[in-house]
């Protein structure tokens, strides 16, 4: 059975050598490159797309601007049929 070794309670750590610092920087650079590469692949392959609408300056359309009158009429007809 595995038993964890007790950690030393002293807060003093050994100073990092230049080789350790270089390894940490290289590790973070590798992770950043892998993450950026994955995101670039998703956009380049077309799996993820960003579409911009023709609205400028953050203009939003009101609900009254959409033509959903036909759909509303169908819903009203269905409700009237169900009530009878």
């Amino acid at each position: 059975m595995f038993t964890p070794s007790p950690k030393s309670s002293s807060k003093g750590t050994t100073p990092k050598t230049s080789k350790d610092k270089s390894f940490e920087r290289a590790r973070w650079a590798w992770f950043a490159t892998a993450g950026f590469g994955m995101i670039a692949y998703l956009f380049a392959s077309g799996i993820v797309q960003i579409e911009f609408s023709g609205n400028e300056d953050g203009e939003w359309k009101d609900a009254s601007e959409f033509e959903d009158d036909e759909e509303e009429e169908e819903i009203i007809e269905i409700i009237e049929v169900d009530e009878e």
Side-chain angles (χ1 to χ4, degrees):
M1 181 174 249
F2 176 75
T3 57
S5 62
K7 294 182 180 179
S8 63
S9 61
S10 65
K11 292 188 178 184
T13 58
T14 58
K16 294 181 181 179
T17 64
S18 64
K19 189 175 182 178
D20 290 337
K21 291 177 185 178
S22 174
F23 179 76
E24 282 188 13
R25 282 192 298 269
R27 180 178 48 190
W28 283 108
W30 189 90
F31 282 123
T33 304
F36 178 76
M38 181 180 65
I39 292 169
Y41 171 77
L42 291 174
F43 283 110
S45 65
I47 295 173
V48 176
Q49 296 178 355
I50 297 177
E51 296 181 14
F52 297 100
S53 66
N55 295 341
E56 294 184 19
D57 299 328
E59 295 176 8
W60 294 87
K61 289 186 176 182
D62 292 331
S64 61
E65 294 180 25
F66 295 104
E67 296 183 20
D68 291 334
D69 296 335
E70 295 175 9
E71 186 176 323
E72 290 177 13
E73 290 174 6
E74 292 176 14
I75 293 172
I76 292 171
E77 289 175 13
I78 293 172
I79 293 173
E80 289 174 355
V81 171
D82 288 341
E83 289 177 355
E84 294 174 0

